[in-house]
Amino acid sequence: MGAVLLGCAVSAPAGEFELLRGLAAYLDGDYPLAYEEFRPLAEQGDKVAQERLGWLYDNGLGISQDHAEAAKWYRRAGEQGNWDAQSKLGLLYYQGRGVPQDYTEAAKWFRKAAEQGSAAAQYMLAVLYGLGQGVLQDQVRAHMWANIATVNGGPNSPELRDIRDTFAREMTRDQIAEAQRRARECMESNYTNCD
């Protein structure tokens, strides 16, 4: 796999070759080499390398596990709009790993990722709204985000449908219709009209 990725990078701009080499090493399970390739790029501001470096720290792949360091790199990538890093940083805040547990901060990062189409972040927003963690409890919004995540192939889609249906049991028909309308509007607006 690595050779295929490397062959594509012969005329790539500076840094892209190293990024591809790091990704190939990662896919091959050579995490120390992936770290060596990602670290300098991450320090230079490459958001993909920053997110991947965060993942290595988050999971202790090729380096000692360090959730605080993972949060630092996820934040840098997330501030540049990397939805994967935003979602992972939201999860660190939700679980209190490497950062203080803070549902409001988790909701902020999940929202940024959800508005870029991240089904995992959309799922977590549904949970937060359903439980009133970091946001005002709102079954309509919980149902809306659960609908969107299910459509987008969110993690554990059958389980997500069950959660959405659990929210629905606490809702009136009008509230369910409102949640469905909002979900359609949100998706049709490419996540710019999700309130």
Side-chain angles (χ1 to χ4, degrees):
M1 177 71 174
V4 173
L5 286 173
L6 293 177
C8 297
V10 174
S11 64
E16 205 167 310
F17 179 75
E18 290 82 1
L19 181 62
L20 290 173
R21 193 166 49 202
L23 291 170
Y26 177 85
L27 292 171
D28 289 342
D30 188 349
Y31 304 121
L33 178 58
Y35 175 84
E36 287 177 28
E37 297 295 339
F38 292 147
R39 183 70 192 220
L41 295 172
E43 290 172 349
Q44 294 168 21
D46 184 291
K47 66 183 177 182
V48 174
Q50 290 169 338
E51 182 276 325
R52 289 287 82 197
L53 189 60
W55 182 251
L56 293 175
Y57 277 112
D58 203 2
N59 294 282
L61 300 173
I63 50 177
S64 296
Q65 188 173 44
D66 185 338
H67 297 300
E69 192 70 10
K72 176 180 96 173
W73 290 108
Y74 288 155
R75 179 179 306 282
R76 288 183 181 178
E79 287 172 347
Q80 294 187 70
N82 183 301
W83 64 265
D84 203 13
Q86 292 167 342
S87 187
K88 290 171 182 167
L89 182 58
L91 191 59
L92 290 182
Y93 276 108
Y94 184 78
Q95 296 173 337
R97 290 185 298 128
V99 293
Q101 187 175 43
D102 184 336
Y103 296 135
T104 302
E105 194 69 11
K108 174 183 116 177
W109 288 103
F110 286 139
R111 179 71 183 235
K112 289 175 183 281
E115 289 176 346
Q116 293 183 70
S118 168
Q122 292 161 350
Y123 166 80
M124 288 304 300
L125 273 180
V127 170
L128 292 174
Y129 277 112
L131 299 174
Q133 294 178 319
V135 293
L136 291 176
Q137 188 171 21
D138 185 332
Q139 298 302 85
V140 172
R141 281 196 171 102
H143 194 282
M144 177 194 84
W145 284 112
N147 268 331
I148 294 168
T150 301
V151 168
N152 287 332
N156 307 315
S157 286
E159 179 182 310
L160 185 53
R161 281 190 292 275
D162 291 344
I163 290 170
R164 180 197 59 205
D165 294 344
T166 298
F167 297 148
R169 283 194 283 277
E170 305 289 322
M171 299 167 68
T172 67
R173 288 179 193 249
D174 287 344
Q175 288 174 315
I176 294 168
E178 176 67 11
Q180 292 168 340
R181 182 191 64 74
R182 286 185 184 183
R184 278 190 305 277
E185 284 180 5
C186 179
M187 293 181 73
E188 288 170 359
S189 73
N190 199 27
Y191 309 108
T192 60
N193 184 23
C194 297
D195 283 320

